[in-house]
Each structure stands twice: as C-alpha cells, then as structure tokens.
Amino acid sequence: MSEVAPGLVTVFGGSGFVGSQVVHALARRGWRIRIACRRPDRAYKLQTSGSVGQIQAIRCDVTDAAQVAEAVRGADAVINLVGILYEAGARTFEALHVGASRKIAEACAAAGVDRLVQVSALGANPESESDYARTKAEAEMAVREVKPDAVILRPSVVFGPGDDFLNKFAGMAQIAPVLPLIGGGQTKFQPVYVGDVAEAVARAASRSEAGGQTYELGGPAVMTFEDVLRLVARETYRTPGFLPLPFAIAKLIGTFAQIPAALGFKPVLTKDQVVLLESDNVVAADAQGLAALDIEPTGVEAVAASYLWRYRRGGQFAEAAAA
C-alpha cells in the first residue's frame, strides 16, 4: 500500500470523542493539523498530541459556507467527523449531517483538495425510518455527488474512554436496580474501538488507492444489546436486573425523554435512537472493513475494564477490596 506524503489536513469536528483520537493518529503520521470546530477552547488539550505548531484549532460554524471555505483553504486533505446523536434547536440532523457535509464537499471541490474522508455511520440508509440513519445516508450521497473520489467510512457503535456507549449504561447500572432490554435486547451490534476508527481515518486520508471507496468498520465480535449490558454489569461489579422493554413502550419513553434537549440538556434516550435499535448494526458480509486497511480490530473485553472501573464501588481498588 502506498501512502501520500503528509501535508496540511483540516479536521471538522476534531475536538470530539472520535475526533481527538483522529488528531492523535494524524499527528503520529506527521500531518499538520487544522482542527475546525465550534469551540476551539475545547481542543486546547490536543496541542500536546504533536510537536510545537503542528496542531492549530480554529473556530468554524459548519453551517456557514464562508467559514467552511476558509477552514479548507490550503489543505491537502479534509476529514469530516461532524455528527450529532440527537437534535436540539437549530442543530438538526438535516443541517449538520446533510447540509454541512455538502458545504464541506463543495469547499473541497472549489479549493482543489485531493482527499476528502467522510465519516458516516453503519446502518446509513436513505429509506430508514430513523432520521439519524437517513440523514447520514443523504450526507454520503451529497458528498459523492460533489466529490466522487471521497472516502466514506461507516463505523458501528464506537467504544473507548469517553464514549457515550458503555459509559452511558455503566452510569445507569450505578443508580438503577434494573437495566432495560429494549426490544428484548436482541439487536446486534459490532462495537468498534475508537483507536481503530481513528487509525482507519488516518490511513484513508493517506492512501491514494482508498479514493472513492466505502469501508464498514466493526470490531471482531458481534454482540446483542443484552450482551453489552451484561458486559457492563460484569466490568462494573454490579448485579442489576434486566427488564425486557417492548419497542413501542421504549419509543413512548424516548418521546418524553428527549424533551430536555430543547432546554439544552442531554437526553438519556430519544425516540429516534429506539428506532435505530429496531435494526441490527453489523458489517455486511461483502463489505470492505478494517482488514482492507490492514487494521487488526480490538475487542471490547480488551479495553472496557480500563475505563469502566470508575463505576465500581471502590473504583480501581474494588477488586482488591473484595479480595
């Protein structure tokens, strides 16, 4: 596999959970990195990911075409990590998935940027009943319409320190006597490690032969929703009960649970997230995956204990205390 010489890369959404790991991976490869995000102050810790002057954070509203064009100016590669899990005010799926992706692709085309990596999501489907999955698919189509040679990455649910996946359920296990098995808990996932996703992004940006390709990123094991909850309980030394919750009731709960988003608070669950749980989230049998990028996937069990210990009674010393 041949890799292009690293130059200047603009990373939209580089201050987030996945974005911070992408910045680390790019810095290791010698890229000069421009992090374009709403809150540059939240990216200050990433300055230590590279050498002095290697990483710069700038303010950019991805719904503003002029700001996007300025963020792309002079870049050799662009990575779009912008995405939301729930809507709040003007931050809608349509605006931040579809609209922003189109603006970024158009800015890349206008500036003559050779490489664009669009991070989408496994399960993206233009006919999905989930607004999240539908707009992720529409974003892919908008990007490919403008930049046919863009690389599209579709990760499954991403885990790792700071995730909103295992941490969410571990937090629930701390306070709740039972955990909900939404839809019976049999929805399948293929959780992928954030470090593997970051490395995939870096390789996609660096390899010329990746142009125009789509990669589905999943971990080494397929797990059901129930498997995930039981793993969380095991790693946090908790013994919650497990309560089957029909999709219809979960959607009703999600409808009311997302109300805090309008007030600026993060909802525990939304109706759209329940709709997502009605479909499995696994890599297609004929899809290119991590192996096509020469990456050995990391299993959940190898990483989960390294950050879920904080939810144990007694923290990292809980095991010794129990002994």
Side-chain angles (χ1 to χ4, degrees):
M1 293 287 183
S2 59
E3 294 198 2
V4 299
L8 173 63
V9 57
T10 296
V11 183
F12 288 94
S15 63
F17 164 57
V18 176
S20 60
Q21 295 298 318
V22 168
V23 169
H24 286 305
L26 291 167
R28 287 195 300 267
R29 285 182 131 73
W31 287 89
R32 289 181 294 116
I33 304 162
R34 179 188 292 155
I35 303 171
C37 53
R38 284 192 309 143
R39 294 281 304 275
D41 56 299
R42 293 182 177 175
Y44 76 95
K45 292 183 179 179
L46 293 175
Q47 298 290 336
T48 58
S49 298
S51 304
V52 175
Q54 185 180 4
I55 300 169
Q56 173 196 20
I58 64 170
R59 186 186 183 283
C60 180
D61 177 355
V62 291
T63 65
D64 186 313
Q67 290 188 35
V68 170
E70 181 61 24
V72 165
R73 183 172 58 85
D76 300 293
V78 169
I79 296 165
N80 180 19
L81 292 160
V82 175
I84 55 174
L85 296 175
Y86 62 91
E87 297 181 313
R91 292 175 57 77
T92 65
F93 291 132
E94 185 68 31
L96 292 178
H97 290 172
V98 186
S101 295
R102 181 178 292 279
K103 287 180 176 67
I104 291 170
E106 289 174 344
C108 287
V113 175
D114 291 332
R115 294 177 295 285
L116 170 60
V117 179
Q118 171 81 8
V119 178
S120 183
L122 197 61
N125 183 346
E127 298 181 358
S128 175
E129 293 184 10
S130 161
D131 291 336
Y132 173 87
R134 176 181 54 77
T135 54
K136 279 291 189 179
E138 291 174 353
E140 290 183 11
M141 293 187 289
V143 167
R144 282 277 171 79
E145 182 181 330
V146 179
K147 285 276 293 179
D149 60 346
V151 184
I152 292 175
L153 302 181
R154 296 173 178 165
S156 183
V157 61
V158 183
F159 70 91
D163 67 32
D164 193 36
F165 179 51
L166 299 185
N167 278 301
K168 173 185 285 189
F169 299 126
M172 291 173 62
Q174 272 188 312
I175 60 175
V178 296
L179 294 178
L181 293 175
I182 298 176
Q186 296 310 300
T187 304
K188 293 182 176 65
F189 299 94
Q190 199 166 343
V192 60
Y193 178 49
V194 65
D196 294 338
V197 174
E199 185 61 24
V201 171
R203 296 188 186 191
S206 302
R207 295 181 174 181
S208 55
E209 61 268 23
Q213 300 298 309
T214 297
Y215 300 89
E216 296 193 351
L217 312 181
V222 173
M223 307 173 69
T224 65
F225 185 55
E226 182 175 358
D227 291 334
V228 171
L229 294 188
R230 291 190 181 279
L231 177 142
V232 167
R234 185 168 65 250
E235 294 296 346
T236 58
Y237 302 167
R238 303 281 174 172
T239 56
F242 297 93
L243 178 66
L245 189 66
F247 283 123
I249 296 177
K251 287 179 185 177
L252 183 62
I253 294 173
T255 299
F256 290 101
Q258 68 190 34
I259 292 176
L263 304 174
F265 298 100
K266 182 178 179 179
V268 175
L269 183 71
T270 69
K271 179 181 177 181
D272 196 72
Q273 289 169 351
V274 177
V275 173
L276 278 173
L277 286 172
E278 291 183 307
S279 301
D280 291 339
N281 195 256
V282 298
V283 173
D286 59 348
Q288 294 187 100
L290 289 172
L293 293 167
D294 303 313
I295 297 172
E296 185 72 27
T298 305
V300 179
E301 292 82 358
V303 178
S306 69
Y307 63 99
L308 293 185
W309 58 261
R310 70 193 65 185
Y311 298 97
R312 301 171 184 169
R313 296 183 182 89
Q316 66 187 108
F317 304 108
E319 194 168 10

